Amino acid sequence: MSIKLICVSHSPMMDFIHPAPEVEAAARGAFAELAQEVAAYDPELIVLFAPDHFNGFFYDLMPPFCIGLRAKCAGDWDIGEGPLNVPEALALDLVKAVQAEDVDIAYSYRMQADHGFTQPLELLAGSVARYPTIPIFINGAAKPFPPCRRALKLGEAVGRFLAGRPERILVVGSGGLSHDPPTPQFGSVPPEVEEFLIAGRNPSPEARRARQERVVENGRLLARGQGSSQPLDPDWDLGLINTFVTGDLTRFQTMTDEEIRAQGGRGGQEIRAWIAAFACLKAAGTYQARTRYYHPIDAWIAGMGMVSADSLAS
Ligand SMILES: O=C(O)CCc1cccc(O)c1O
Ligand SMILES: [Fe+2]
């Protein structure tokens, strides 16, 4: 058994709008270096904690967490196609193990994984189905959110399950450093947008294009210091990265949504994915982590950060 971890920001805008060439090259280079390490490690299992952005999960039935027993790409932003490679029996064992640890978990035989899942798989693993992958959704977009301390609990329960497994395992956390994309918020939008937030699965190509164009336009504006997105916050991001690298996760027992929103923006709530991923790794023993990359990239509406870690447990 061995466990490694990679946590990365995502931005599905990477193929749609471009920051300065040297900035883009450095970010893509950092992803490529991590991808080389993944290929060398050749994981037998990826456990991927990620949020959704009203592509696969909606207010008609919004779970705090959900394990995909079968999953396919949601198709947003043209990232990935077809099914993920989910080891169904093992994923079901994980559901049972997490429940046995008193964490109530939703599960799905038809999960739609959006760019929160598909982008790190493409960038780190080469494709969405390259390695057996158990996708674990954590709600970070639809208020009210599960408390950060529950993301710790979820991660710990998953980590205790993984600690007993024989596979070479890669734990991945996706998203979550500061960013404030224009995702509509229930309660402050007209009825037709509420309807989308409740039941907007499988949108028409036109609706999808319009939505994505709005996000790209937001990136264009942010890069010019305009628009409605809250600025990226490197201090918040580097503080979080430092917390994860030092390995003392107690800060997340009490971290509030308001605190995250104030500095990390609306997208900052996705940090739950990193919290669960690191708690998962830590449940398997002490770990050594290092910062691989950080740069706030306005055009991509992303405090873009990457951290890797190795478990020191034998
Ligand atoms: O598709 C959307 O509505 C939001 C896309 C999006 C943009 C920038 C950073 C993100 O993390 C992100 O998810
Ligand atoms: Fe996101």
Side-chain angles (χ1 to χ4, degrees):
M1 186 283 287
S2 67
I3 306 189
K4 287 181 184 289
L5 168 147
I6 296 175
C7 283
V8 292
S9 308
H10 58 242
S11 171
M13 307 159 71
M14 284 177 71
D15 291 327
F16 292 77
I17 177 173
H18 302 281
E22 63 277 12
V23 171
E24 174 150 4
R28 289 193 183 271
F31 272 118
E33 193 171 311
L34 289 168
Q36 274 183 6
E37 292 172 15
V38 172
Y41 181 53
D42 193 21
E44 296 165 288
L45 174 66
I46 295 177
V47 174
L48 170 55
F49 295 96
D52 179 78
H53 313 72
F54 297 103
N55 291 300
F57 289 84
F58 290 83
Y59 278 117
D60 59 352
L61 202 167
M62 182 59 71
F65 312 124
C66 181
I67 291 178
L69 302 173
R70 296 178 193 165
K72 61 180 178 180
C73 298
D76 56 310
W77 298 93
D78 306 325
I79 303 177
E81 221 181 340
L84 273 60
N85 174 6
V86 184
E88 187 175 321
L90 186 59
L92 191 59
D93 284 346
L94 176 60
V95 168
K96 293 174 191 165
V98 168
Q99 287 179 330
E101 299 257 1
D102 295 326
V103 177
D104 305 315
I105 185 90
Y107 48 89
S108 172
Y109 279 101
R110 193 162 294 170
M111 186 161 135
Q112 288 200 17
D114 85 351
H115 66 268
F117 295 88
T118 57
Q119 189 181 44
L121 286 175
E122 286 218 326
L123 291 176
L124 299 173
S127 70
V128 295
R130 171 73 184 83
Y131 303 102
T133 298
I134 300 178
I136 305 181
F137 160 78
I138 300 185
N139 174 22
K143 277 197 275 191
F145 309 113
C148 290
R149 63 179 181 278
R150 293 302 292 169
L152 282 174
K153 286 276 186 223
L154 171 69
E156 286 162 8
V158 174
R160 278 194 287 273
F161 173 78
L162 297 183
R165 296 295 315 177
E167 292 90 355
R168 279 186 308 281
I169 299 167
L170 175 66
V171 175
V172 177
S174 168
L177 298 183
S178 65
H179 65 297
D180 193 42
T183 310
Q185 306 275 309
F186 200 97
S188 58
V189 290
E192 65 274 15
V193 182
E194 281 199 351
E195 180 57 27
F196 161 74
L197 293 172
I198 293 170
R201 216 172 275 110
N202 306 315
S204 69
E206 300 74 46
R208 174 159 277 156
R209 199 169 322 114
R211 179 181 172 189
Q212 293 178 185
E213 265 163 25
R214 207 165 49 241
V215 176
V216 171
E217 178 56 22
N218 224 257
R220 238 176 249 127
L221 289 171
L222 187 62
R224 280 197 238 124
Q226 302 167 352
S228 58
S229 279
Q230 181 171 311
L232 304 175
D233 191 330
D235 289 339
W236 172 253
D237 295 340
L238 293 169
L240 284 170
I241 287 174
N242 183 56
T243 299
F244 289 116
V245 169
T246 56
D248 180 2
L249 305 181
T250 50
R251 173 183 180 195
F252 300 115
Q253 294 286 357
T254 54
M255 183 171 276
T256 64
D257 296 358
E258 293 71 28
E259 191 184 345
I260 295 171
R261 173 74 179 84
Q263 289 193 262
R266 280 167 290 186
Q269 306 294 348
E270 297 175 353
I271 198 59
R272 288 161 173 79
W274 288 44
I275 294 171
F278 273 97
C280 177
L281 185 68
K282 198 169 179 183
T286 52
Y287 67 76
Q288 185 148 38
R290 65 191 174 107
T291 308
R292 305 300 297 269
Y293 177 83
Y294 180 76
H295 196 81
I297 304 181
D298 289 322
W300 289 347
I301 320 183
M304 183 60 79
M306 308 178 199
V307 176
S308 65
D310 289 288
S311 178
L312 301 179
S314 56

